[in-house]
Amino acid sequence: MLKTILKTLFVGSALMLSSQFSQAATITNISDSAEQVSPLLPGLIIPDSTLKNTKGKQVSIKDIVSKKPTILVVYRGGWCPYCSKQLANIQKVEQQLVAKGFQIIAVSPDSPEKLSESTISSANYQLLSDDQLSFSQDLGLAFYLEDKVAEIYRNKLGVNFVTLDGEEKVALPVPAVFVLDTQGRVHFQYANPNYKVRLSEQLLLAAADSVQ
């Protein structure tokens, strides 16, 4: 009788844990610092990943990329002024990139609801949510914030970060830009652990020319 009760409790607990973890993000590739990330290198093909658009609909990054050569921008979030400036500057050269045959995809940990507040509205410039950081991990860009930094960000900026599998640490992607062909192959990559330094629009246009 006692064995039966214990077995029932064990199975019930295991199912509860399984349910909790199925709803949490999975840790597969998160570095201890921004300086230790290993971004996907030129010549490699980006892994497929399911992201969300501004309406919360799940989309395949590979399906989107297969339609046109792509400028893929990974940023920290709309709350980051450096990221917002970068997205706005890229929007300034959007038509030049479109004339070269490119589309622009910008991915961040922001929720679809947050993304929907953006002023960027273009069929050639899409914002996607990686709110589970799975894509950032696939690209080798995810890293843990130091506890003090995470606390400052939360308290001063009111930012909601992803908590991974019950870990108290929080993670972000290193800002990066990838130039991809329709197979998802990386032709150019720029990732800088110093989030204040971003790729200039002139270099981005030159990188786009290299694919053509």
Side-chain angles (χ1 to χ4, degrees):
M1 181 68 178
L2 180 58
K3 288 184 178 180
T4 301
I5 294 174
L6 290 174
K7 183 178 180 181
T8 301
L9 289 173
F10 175 78
V11 171
S13 299
L15 288 173
M16 289 178 64
L17 285 172
S18 175
S19 175
Q20 291 173 357
F21 285 128
S22 67
Q23 298 174 10
T26 302
I27 300 173
T28 58
N29 181 26
I30 303 181
S31 300
D32 290 331
S33 70
E35 291 73 21
Q36 294 178 351
V37 299
S38 299
L40 201 67
L41 296 173
L44 299 178
I45 295 178
I46 62 167
D48 196 10
S49 187
T50 301
L51 303 173
K52 300 172 187 172
N53 62 20
T54 55
K55 296 180 180 180
K57 180 182 177 181
Q58 292 189 336
V59 295
S60 162
I61 188 66
K62 272 294 189 67
D63 285 347
I64 297 175
V65 168
S66 68
K67 297 175 182 176
K68 286 184 179 181
T70 301
I71 305 297
L72 173 64
V73 182
V74 180
Y75 65 105
R76 307 190 318 157
W79 51 268
C80 170
Y82 298 95
C83 297
S84 296
K85 183 178 179 181
Q86 179 188 28
L87 296 184
N89 287 340
I90 292 176
Q91 194 170 24
K92 293 177 182 177
V93 297
E94 176 186 345
Q95 292 308 313
Q96 290 174 260
L97 291 168
V98 170
K100 296 177 187 292
F102 284 87
Q103 62 180 339
I104 306 166
I105 305 295
V107 178
S108 78
D110 281 345
S111 67
E113 292 77 18
K114 282 289 183 183
L115 293 182
S116 65
E117 298 172 2
S118 172
T119 57
I120 293 176
S121 178
S122 168
N124 304 306
Y125 198 148
Q126 300 183 58
L127 302 183
L128 297 178
S129 170
D130 180 29
D131 56 4
Q132 294 293 299
L133 279 182
S134 58
F135 191 46
S136 294
Q137 293 184 71
D138 288 342
L139 295 175
L141 297 172
F143 71 98
Y144 286 117
L145 272 70
E146 295 180 2
D147 292 339
K148 290 183 179 179
V149 176
E151 185 176 353
I152 291 172
Y153 276 29
R154 277 203 189 100
N155 295 340
K156 295 289 181 66
L157 297 176
V159 179
N160 294 320
F161 293 107
V162 177
T163 300
L164 298 164
D165 290 339
E167 291 275 351
E168 292 183 354
K169 291 183 177 182
V170 291
L172 282 178
V174 165
V177 176
F178 298 86
V179 179
L180 311 171
D181 61 24
T182 54
Q183 292 182 325
R185 190 179 306 278
V186 179
H187 286 255
F188 172 87
Q189 173 252 92
Y190 178 87
N192 195 327
N194 183 350
Y195 65 86
K196 297 181 181 180
V197 181
R198 303 300 172 97
L199 183 71
S200 70
E201 298 79 68
Q202 292 73 26
L203 286 176
L204 177 57
L205 290 170
D209 286 335
S210 70
V211 175
Q212 293 179 323

